[in-house]
Amino acid sequence: MARIGVFICHCGKNIASTVDVERVAAQAAELPGVAFAADYRYMCSDPGQRLIAEAIEEHNLDRVVVAACSPSLHEPTFRGCIEDEGLNPYMLEIANIREQCSWVHDDREEATEKALELVNIARAKVARSHPLLRSTIPITKRALVIGGGISGIQAAIDVGLAGYEAVIVEREPSIGGRMAQFDKTFPTLDCAACILTPKMVTVARDKNIKIYTYAEVEEVTGYVGNYTARIRVRARSVDPDKCTGCGSCWQKCPKKVDSEFDQHLGDRTAIYIPFPQAVPRVPVIDRDNCIYFQRGKCRLCERACDVGAIDYEQEDQIIEEQFGAIIVATGFTLFDHSVYGEYGGGQYADVVTGLQFERLVNSCGPTEGKILRPSDGKPVKTVVFVQCVGSRDREKGMEYCSRLCCMYTAKHGLLFKEHNPDGEAYVFYIDIRAAGKNYEEFVRRAQEEFGVHYLRGRVSRIYEENGHLVVRGADTLAGMQVEIKADLVVLATGLIARDDAVEVARMLGIPYDQNRLFTEGHPKLAPVETVTSGVFLTGACQAPKDIPDTVATASAASAKALGLFSHDCLESEPMVAQIDPALCSDCRACVESCPFGAIEEIEWRDMMTRQMRTVAHVIESLCHGCGNCTVACRAGAPNLSGFSHEQVFAQVEAV
Amino acid sequence: MRYAYYPGCSLHSTARDYDLSARAVCRVLGIELEEIPGWVCCGASSAHMTSELLSIALPVHNLNIAKEMGLDTVACCAECYSRLKIANREMRARKNGRVAEVDEVVGNTYRGESEVKHLLEVIAGDYGLDALRERVVEDLSDLRVAAYYGCLLVRPPEVTGFDDPDQPMVMDHIVTALGAKAVEWPYKTECCGSSLSLTRTDIVLKLCHDIYQKAADQGADCLLVACPLCQANLDMRQPQVNRQYGTRFELPVLYFTQLIGLALGIPSADLGLSKLMVSPQQLLARTGLRQPA
């Protein structure tokens, strides 16, 4: 006969103000199998846990119901508590009488009845619990870092520094990411390349870090501690072991195409490195634009190369590697402003994005740092910056605030005035959001020291007239309509999720939100974790972030991975499904229903017919215990430990 | 192609020419317009400024007749269009209190069954630009037209769902299909000031002036409109604007139906061209079209 202890928590007034906890405890004591029941102010506190421990000892309890808050909060606490007293930690049930009762009801009488019912349901279940044993799984102590921007670079450096291996997979021909495209950084105005390139060199030199550029992760299988990633390293058409990075190939290449790195404001050749400090300094041939690949003639780069590094026959390489943790650092892209018909719908050459402005003002950009109009190369005398394009706009863009545009626009205004002290810079803003260390001061500096004009209001229209752009808007502080003749307009387009974010999320088995941004484990308490253990987030793939926040989350994510690596093996949850082969007809309903691919088919000898037949079988290490298979199966062959059919039916009957 | 036709007050009074030309064009194109018998006010201006219930109940009364006719409704006036569209949206959303109230006042259970369209949508969409292009008999290739959409056709976009609210193109496409030149200009959805006509004429003059100026800057020969209030305002203000700003604007302001009618070779008397304040006579002479009667 089970000896159940029931412990009712007041949670201060959170539960006790709506639920008559004393009555619940008194009535629970009368329920079948209950040997002891008590209530207490804070069951999770030390005295509360001691109360449970002493009751186990004194009343010889063999299982426990705690009626308190959600199990997602304190289930581990109470499992630990009863385990210390020699009980199996799975001989515990939590009745959630806070989130699912006291917080959502007003009527004290009815809430008390419901609380008692929830307690009874938990009692019925725990009476049928069996001790469950955790097994251990080994950990591969290597981290896969997806994305080689500042986020991925920092995460890899931190993992490498701790003595563990990290592998960066970067889609572009070089690591460096968005930060490499920036000119200066706010609020200190140090040059982005000057602070980024040392980190790029560090990461390239670290013996613990391997970098695959021009590569993509195609498939991830496995589970925490034991992921397998299939990586496609695209053919560079250049042998990296032979190439010295001398540059004669791209100097000779006759084919010019728009440079993605320069945001289509400048050219690159078909064989190219994206920027001078590229790591690795090994060019790639863009086969879609290479004359030889398209028309079968040219091979000028091959002739120019003294070391014979050009290899037109090179093929994509598929690499499979094992990892214990995955750090997702895939970054962001910019909102496409072509939906703003009132701003020219992307048709005006002199209406550019903030990232394009970075390239215009950068000394290794297409204009060598001179701020010239993309349309005719004339110098810019008047520039208008428009904030919140594609962000804070429920009609046409994202509802959220993109968070750093205020700062980068202030920086752009300041840089423009630094380049053109006689020029005029105007900023249209909704609010100035400069929350960050030295940020407000920086915006003030742009306004007061450099004379950037700030106008509070939206721009209603931008149009071309006689070689100028006319910007019409409202100055809501002055209560006036404003019309500015500008040479250049810079739209502060918001940061958004990358186009393929959803595919990446599906590949990794992590959730994403309505904006396709990856969802953190908990918005406050697990900001770099995901609900999939062993997969961590850093940088702007989770939400728009500036460089300091990106670097901070990178170090946080690597600390989480390192925490994992500090163990030799992991304890696995024993709440997994088993399939009774005698009941299985191999209909595959469970295989279809399993989101984790944890059900395989095996040959099994049927004792009734003495014949071999195919049946479904759970790979326990992959099973997350979601229970999908248990309800998909018509015969009830799968059963979930800790949520057995017997337990669940007992709960239903107890209602 | 048959529609319940809701003319509204303007088309029976100050905008007779719009009504004439719309009917004439539809007759030629084979679009049947059946005027809603016993139609009442659409609920614009006085009704919707004073009573929300009235602003829904009035259009519902009209639309319910269209429903009984088994037809979708077509409107020419942008204000009527807006009111009818809003009523359909409200009745379809079935917000409890309001719908029951309207049911009681109007005495029926209309739930947005009659789709509301502007005549622009019918001609450019249902009839089709390709079909329209084939019916053109007059050469308009010398004519430069600035299509002006105003406010209520395109706004609020969640109600009208009419084209791009900031860069609408329907009328421009019609102009192009007729063989004329649609000028690109930035003021196609700027306010003409019509609703301030009597109270703040100073503002109206500035708004009208800017519209004329931008159209003229782009070399437009005329303005093309789809709203009787825009038309009246833009057509009548030119002498006043010219006095105030020392300008010499003489831009005819045509309804799009009048331009289509000209292209289809409909006699100008049937298009009400003589009712325009700024005469299109010179313009038409220059472009080789026949003189208005």
Side-chain angles (χ1 to χ4, degrees):
Chain A
M1 183 63 190
R3 292 188 60 78
I4 304 168
V6 179
F7 299 89
I8 318 289
C9 181
H10 299 200
C11 196
K13 286 277 173 203
N14 275 306
I15 295 170
S17 66
T18 325
V19 171
D20 182 348
V21 281
E22 281 95 4
R23 201 174 104 206
V24 174
Q27 294 190 4
E30 305 301 319
L31 295 171
V34 176
F36 177 77
D39 60 280
Y40 187 69
R41 251 174 95 77
Y42 290 105
M43 210 53 92
C44 58
S45 67
D46 271 353
Q49 293 189 51
R50 211 174 311 127
L51 177 86
I52 298 175
E54 284 166 11
I56 291 172
E57 174 83 32
E58 199 174 317
H59 298 278
N60 200 22
L61 305 177
D62 65 354
R63 57 201 73 201
V64 165
V65 171
V66 178
C69 56
S70 161
S72 67
L73 297 168
H74 273 304
E75 192 172 56
T77 311
F78 296 116
R79 275 186 185 163
C81 168
I82 69 167
E83 193 172 15
D84 288 346
E85 291 309 303
L87 297 189
N88 180 280
Y90 294 91
M91 301 301 275
L92 168 83
E93 268 312 306
I94 304 278
N96 181 356
I97 60 166
R98 194 178 72 174
E99 286 84 343
Q100 293 178 354
C101 185
S102 71
W103 275 0
V104 290
H105 299 300
D106 302 321
D107 187 300
R108 190 171 166 83
E109 187 58 33
E110 285 178 354
T112 304
E113 285 300 315
K114 180 172 169 183
L116 187 66
E117 192 146 37
L118 291 171
V119 168
N120 190 31
I121 291 167
R123 177 209 58 82
K125 185 180 175 207
V126 81
R128 288 155 183 81
S129 289
H130 297 286
L132 302 176
L133 295 177
R134 297 180 179 125
S135 56
T136 56
I137 41 176
I139 299 174
T140 309
K141 299 185 179 187
R142 303 174 81 229
L144 168 64
V145 179
I146 308 178
I150 180 59
S151 194
I153 290 172
Q154 185 63 47
I157 288 176
D158 289 344
V159 171
L161 210 55
Y164 295 101
E165 277 181 58
V167 173
I168 296 179
V169 179
E170 167 59 50
R171 176 156 39 191
E172 300 298 326
S174 167
I175 58 168
R178 294 294 187 196
M179 189 174 168
Q181 293 176 283
F182 300 162
D183 182 49
K184 301 282 192 315
T185 56
F186 59 80
T188 46
L189 289 181
D190 32 13
C191 122
C194 310
I195 56 175
L196 173 68
T197 47
K199 285 197 184 282
M200 289 166 63
V201 174
T202 306
V203 89
R205 288 231 177 106
D206 193 321
K207 295 278 177 289
N208 284 324
I209 300 172
K210 191 151 67 174
I211 302 172
Y212 294 118
T213 51
Y214 215 43
E216 278 180 84
V217 180
E218 286 196 326
E219 189 184 34
V220 171
T221 53
Y223 49 95
V224 57
N226 297 277
Y227 287 109
T228 303
R230 195 174 73 214
I231 300 162
R232 175 181 293 269
V233 182
R234 287 160 64 201
R236 287 185 106 86
S237 316
V238 175
D239 183 343
D241 295 330
K242 291 183 187 161
C243 175
T244 60
C246 70
S248 21
C249 56
W250 67 76
Q251 282 152 17
K252 290 276 154 47
C253 178
K255 176 76 179 184
K256 300 277 187 292
V257 289
D258 274 3
S259 158
E260 298 85 357
F261 188 82
D262 282 336
Q263 293 288 296
H264 306 281
L265 295 175
D267 291 341
R268 62 163 171 81
T269 43
I271 183 166
Y272 71 108
I273 56 168
F275 56 102
Q277 305 96 323
V279 171
R281 197 180 157 84
V282 177
V284 298
I285 295 181
D286 163 9
R287 292 186 175 184
D288 293 338
N289 285 302
C290 169
I291 297 172
Y292 173 67
F293 276 101
Q294 293 305 314
R295 285 185 252 150
K297 275 190 196 146
C298 182
R299 302 182 83 124
L300 276 178
C301 50
E302 191 181 43
R303 259 178 276 157
C305 183
D306 292 336
V307 293
I310 307 292
D311 177 3
Y312 298 115
E313 308 301 320
Q314 209 179 62
E315 286 177 8
D316 289 4
Q317 242 184 305
I318 305 289
I319 298 168
E320 277 205 356
E321 293 195 17
Q322 314 296 317
F323 300 97
I326 300 174
I327 296 176
V328 188
T330 49
F332 65 91
T333 191
L334 288 174
F335 186 85
D336 174 8
H337 61 87
S338 62
V339 299
Y340 283 86
E342 64 270 43
Y343 298 165
Q347 298 302 305
Y348 300 141
D350 296 331
V351 176
V352 300
T353 66
L355 195 54
Q356 287 179 314
F357 187 79
E358 296 280 351
R359 299 313 302 154
L360 282 180
V361 77
N362 188 285
S363 57
C364 37
T367 54
E368 292 169 342
K370 288 192 268 306
I371 303 173
L372 306 174
R373 289 166 30 123
S375 63
D376 53 13
K378 285 188 186 153
V380 174
K381 288 259 174 270
T382 305
V383 59
V384 173
F385 297 94
V386 183
Q387 289 195 180
C388 303
V389 177
S391 56
R392 299 186 71 189
D393 185 346
R394 281 187 280 196
E395 293 296 325
K396 297 195 166 178
M398 298 295 160
E399 189 169 357
Y400 60 77
C401 166
S402 170
R403 201 158 167 258
L404 42 143
C405 318
C406 284
M407 291 307 296
Y408 79 62
T409 299
K411 177 188 77 178
H412 289 166
L414 191 152
L415 290 177
F416 175 79
K417 291 290 282 187
E418 208 174 52
H419 282 62
N420 302 288
D422 299 331
E424 295 295 346
Y426 299 88
V427 176
F428 282 92
Y429 69 98
I430 305 179
D431 300 290
I432 301 173
R433 294 186 167 170
K437 194 174 182 181
N438 293 321
Y439 283 13
E440 176 68 19
E441 297 91 319
F442 181 80
V443 176
R444 285 276 179 171
R445 207 174 141 212
Q447 293 172 331
E448 291 165 6
E449 198 179 313
F450 286 82
V452 178
H453 307 295
Y454 271 68
L455 301 167
R456 182 171 163 278
R458 292 295 284 173
V459 168
S460 63
R461 193 170 279 277
I462 298 169
Y463 58 90
E464 268 181 344
E465 193 174 76
N466 309 325
H468 287 285
L469 291 163
V470 179
V471 181
R472 302 187 70 213
D475 177 347
T476 56
L477 294 180
M480 279 167 50
Q481 292 190 354
V482 188
E483 213 170 87
I484 299 170
K485 267 194 183 160
D487 303 305
L488 183 73
V489 174
V490 182
L491 304 178
T493 46
L495 276 60
I496 59 167
R498 282 191 175 271
D499 297 342
D500 55 357
V502 171
E503 287 98 275
V504 172
R506 287 200 183 127
M507 177 179 78
L508 297 171
I510 57 173
Y512 53 91
D513 65 14
Q514 71 275 23
N515 301 313
R516 300 184 297 115
L517 293 165
F518 301 146
T519 307
E520 58 286 337
H522 186 282
K524 283 144 236 173
L525 301 177
V528 296
E529 290 101 316
T530 65
V531 291
T532 304
S533 27
V535 179
F536 307 109
L537 303 176
T538 155
C541 63
Q542 182 251 341
K545 285 193 187 71
D546 57 14
I547 296 168
D549 284 2
T550 296
V551 171
T553 52
S555 291
S558 57
K560 291 289 166 189
L562 293 171
L564 202 61
F565 298 165
S566 67
H567 298 94
D568 289 323
C569 52
L570 283 172
E571 281 199 323
S572 69
E573 264 301 326
M575 289 182 163
V576 292
Q578 291 90 34
I579 293 174
D580 181 349
L583 295 177
C584 175
S585 63
D586 193 32
C587 73
R588 297 179 52 85
C590 58
V591 180
E592 305 288 327
S593 74
C594 180
F596 307 101
I599 300 179
E600 59 183 349
E601 288 171 287
I602 58 166
E603 290 301 310
W604 173 79
R605 189 176 170 83
D606 192 329
M607 300 312 270
M608 301 282 283
T609 60
R610 294 167 190 268
Q611 302 247 318
M612 295 299 283
R613 65 184 181 89
T614 308
V615 292
H617 176 258
V618 176
I619 310 163
E620 290 194 5
S621 57
L622 292 182
C623 176
H624 283 51
C626 71
N628 273 7
C629 57
T630 63
V631 288
C633 179
R634 284 166 297 175
N639 211 352
L640 184 59
S641 301
F643 281 93
S644 65
H645 297 314
E646 193 196 7
Q647 286 177 304
V648 174
F649 284 127
Q651 284 182 287
V652 174
E653 277 163 24
V655 176
Chain B
M1 228 175 281
R2 199 153 150 257
Y3 300 89
Y5 178 58
Y6 181 82
C9 61
S10 292
L11 275 79
H12 271 210
S13 54
T14 50
R16 291 275 319 154
D17 40 351
Y18 197 3
D19 186 54
L20 274 175
S21 55
R23 288 175 190 271
V25 163
C26 287
R27 204 178 306 119
V28 171
L29 296 181
I31 301 169
E32 287 180 62
L33 300 180
E34 197 172 325
E35 187 161 332
I36 295 176
W39 60 266
V40 299
C41 170
C42 71
S45 302
S46 23
H48 89 267
M49 305 270 281
T50 49
S51 155
E52 199 200 331
L53 175 61
L54 201 55
S55 77
I56 305 296
L58 285 170
V60 165
H61 172 80
N62 294 312
L63 288 167
N64 191 59
I65 305 173
K67 172 190 164 187
E68 281 162 8
M69 293 160 76
L71 294 175
D72 285 344
T73 303
V74 60
C76 290
C77 166
E79 283 215 54
C80 300
Y81 174 65
S82 171
R83 292 321 311 173
L84 296 173
K85 275 282 220 193
I86 288 172
N88 257 0
R89 184 180 152 92
E90 288 285 316
M91 298 312 282
R92 284 174 186 167
R94 295 167 199 237
K95 278 185 206 137
N96 300 337
R98 172 64 68 219
V99 168
E101 230 179 325
V102 173
D103 285 353
E104 199 191 323
V105 170
V106 184
N108 58 49
T109 53
Y110 179 76
R111 293 291 178 272
E113 289 88 348
S114 177
E115 190 65 58
V116 174
K117 292 180 176 180
H118 192 275
L119 186 59
L120 275 172
E121 295 173 292
V122 169
I123 291 177
D126 300 358
Y127 187 79
L129 292 171
D130 290 332
L132 181 64
R133 197 174 292 119
E134 283 173 21
R135 304 298 299 268
V136 172
V137 296
E138 297 287 347
D139 178 16
L140 299 183
S141 55
D142 286 339
L143 195 65
R144 294 175 61 83
V145 182
Y148 174 78
Y149 297 78
C151 52
L152 286 173
L153 269 183
V154 291
R155 283 189 284 255
E158 62 272 20
V159 171
T160 63
F162 185 95
D163 212 340
D164 180 332
D166 296 299
Q167 187 63 8
M169 290 301 289
V170 169
M171 246 192 295
D172 296 74
H173 291 150
I174 289 180
V175 169
T176 312
L178 298 178
K181 165 88 180 123
V183 301
E184 262 185 55
W185 68 311
Y187 270 53
K188 46 169 73 166
T189 59
E190 293 302 315
C191 177
C192 75
S194 173
S195 48
L196 296 173
S197 232
L198 301 175
T199 46
R200 288 296 302 273
T201 316
D202 54 329
I203 293 179
V204 179
L205 292 184
K206 155 100 172 84
L207 292 171
C208 287
H209 166 266
D210 291 352
I211 291 169
Y212 302 144
Q213 187 65 58
K214 292 294 180 225
D217 287 349
Q218 302 304 319
D221 300 314
C222 64
L223 285 166
L224 198 67
V225 298
C227 167
L229 294 161
C230 299
Q231 201 280 338
N233 195 35
L234 290 170
D235 196 8
M236 290 192 296
R237 294 285 174 200
Q238 295 191 37
Q240 267 178 297
V241 166
N242 287 339
R243 270 199 301 282
Q244 172 124 352
Y245 289 89
T247 48
R248 301 175 71 180
F249 296 121
E250 237 178 296
L251 282 167
V253 184
L254 272 65
Y255 290 108
F256 74 98
T257 43
Q258 293 177 317
L259 188 69
I260 297 175
L262 286 170
L264 301 183
I266 298 174
S268 50
D270 294 352
L271 299 172
L273 284 174
S274 61
K275 297 195 185 297
L276 299 178
M277 305 296 271
V278 177
S279 166
Q281 198 161 350
Q282 275 189 324
L283 168 79
L284 298 182
R286 186 158 58 76
T287 52
L289 281 163
R290 82 196 79 167
Q291 310 280 306

